[in-house]
Amino acid sequence: RKEVEQDPGPFNVPEGATVAFNCTYSNSASQSFFWYRQDCRKEPKLLMSVYSSGNEDGRFTAQLNRASQYISLLIRDSKLSDSATYLCVVTAGNQFYFGTGTSLTVIP
Amino acid sequence: NAGVMQNPRHLVRRRGQEARLRCSPMKGHSHVYWYRQLPEEGLKFMVYLQKENIIDESGMPKERFSAEFPKEGPSILRIQQVVRGDSAAYFCASSPSHSYNEQFFGPGTRLTVL
């Protein structure tokens, strides 16, 4: 079983839409959780950390459910510039485990 | 403050040749991580190094792959006798400490094996 699993999509949504991505992880001892963003053929960049209490950064809201080993990312009022692949990342021990990513395209 | 630097950005090798990928972490960062990304796949952890030490190489293939992070100079990922399956994007990331939340990624080296 993969450490981190994500629906690869693609998600194609109109500008202004709300879209949600989900991610599950297998290691109950996982310590930290993140969403990274990766644009085509570029390096991943941190979008936001994910905390048990849930956290929000502008149009982005992240949630963590440790009991269900589930992480989510909600994007409100989608912009064209949000088009990218969103990577769910979980740490355990020395390692960062990356999901395969969910592809988002925001359509004008 | 320059970001993580990797070179070369693109590398073409014939089967059987050696590939050397270099990574200079951000200034002040002493922790380096190497990842491999195959087409349509996620990033796979390969190795975690600190200066002059390999901390975790559990993601490295047992043969042909090696990594170092010397006291002076960049971290090097070395692939000997490359095969077509080694074609991938290799990303390096750095952080100031292992407990630091964010890893800062370099632009990657795209290796193509002919």
Side-chain angles (χ1 to χ4, degrees):
Chain A
R1 185 183 171 185
K2 289 183 180 178
E3 292 282 345
V4 179
E5 300 215 45
Q6 293 183 250
D7 177 354
F11 284 70
N12 299 313
V13 303
E15 267 187 292
T18 296
V19 61
F21 305 138
N22 302 319
C23 166
T24 56
Y25 61 95
S26 60
N27 187 345
S28 60
S30 297
Q31 299 144 322
S32 302
F33 309 87
F34 310 93
W35 284 99
Y36 274 68
R37 169 190 169 135
Q38 186 174 26
D39 291 283
C40 186
R41 302 182 69 79
K42 297 276 186 73
E43 71 272 24
K45 293 184 179 178
L46 178 68
L47 179 66
M48 59 196 303
S49 301
V50 188
Y51 304 114
S52 297
S53 54
N55 48 299
E56 189 173 306
D57 182 1
R59 298 181 293 108
F60 299 84
T61 301
Q63 297 275 357
L64 166 65
N65 184 321
R66 283 188 184 269
S68 302
Q69 295 180 199
Y70 169 95
I71 304 160
S72 66
L73 176 68
L74 182 77
I75 306 176
R76 291 182 300 277
D77 189 22
S78 300
K79 310 289 185 194
L80 296 177
S81 58
D82 294 334
S83 298
T85 297
Y86 290 82
L87 308 174
C88 176
V89 183
V90 171
T91 70
N94 288 319
Q95 296 193 23
F96 280 55
Y97 294 96
F98 284 76
T100 52
T102 299
S103 173
L104 172 66
T105 301
V106 180
I107 304 163
Chain B
N1 187 11
V4 178
M5 298 174 67
Q6 289 188 249
N7 66 81
R9 295 289 304 277
H10 299 274
L11 182 61
V12 179
R13 285 287 178 266
R14 296 192 181 278
R15 280 180 298 169
Q17 291 184 320
E18 179 179 288
R20 280 184 181 242
L21 288 61
R22 287 176 291 278
C23 169
S24 296
M26 284 181 72
K27 188 176 180 180
H29 288 194
S30 59
H31 297 249
V32 166
Y33 307 79
W34 284 95
Y35 295 85
R36 176 164 63 177
Q37 188 172 35
L38 294 167
E40 308 305 323
E41 293 192 17
L43 277 81
K44 292 286 194 285
F45 167 81
M46 298 182 76
V47 62
Y48 160 42
L49 310 104
Q50 293 180 31
K51 285 282 187 183
E52 300 185 278
N53 285 305
I54 297 174
I55 306 302
D56 183 343
E57 57 181 348
S58 57
M60 288 275 272
K62 295 287 184 258
E63 297 177 348
R64 303 188 297 109
F65 285 71
S66 62
E68 62 176 7
F69 189 15
K71 187 177 180 181
E72 301 290 338
S75 175
I76 306 285
L77 178 68
R78 182 183 178 206
I79 311 172
Q80 295 178 289
Q81 299 173 347
V82 295
V83 301
R84 288 215 173 110
D86 296 332
S87 296
Y90 291 83
F91 289 97
C92 166
S94 75
S95 67
S97 68
H98 183 60
S99 59
Y100 193 76
N101 271 340
E102 183 175 358
Q103 291 193 349
F104 296 83
F105 281 81
T109 294
R110 278 170 178 77
L111 172 65
T112 301
V113 180
L114 301 177

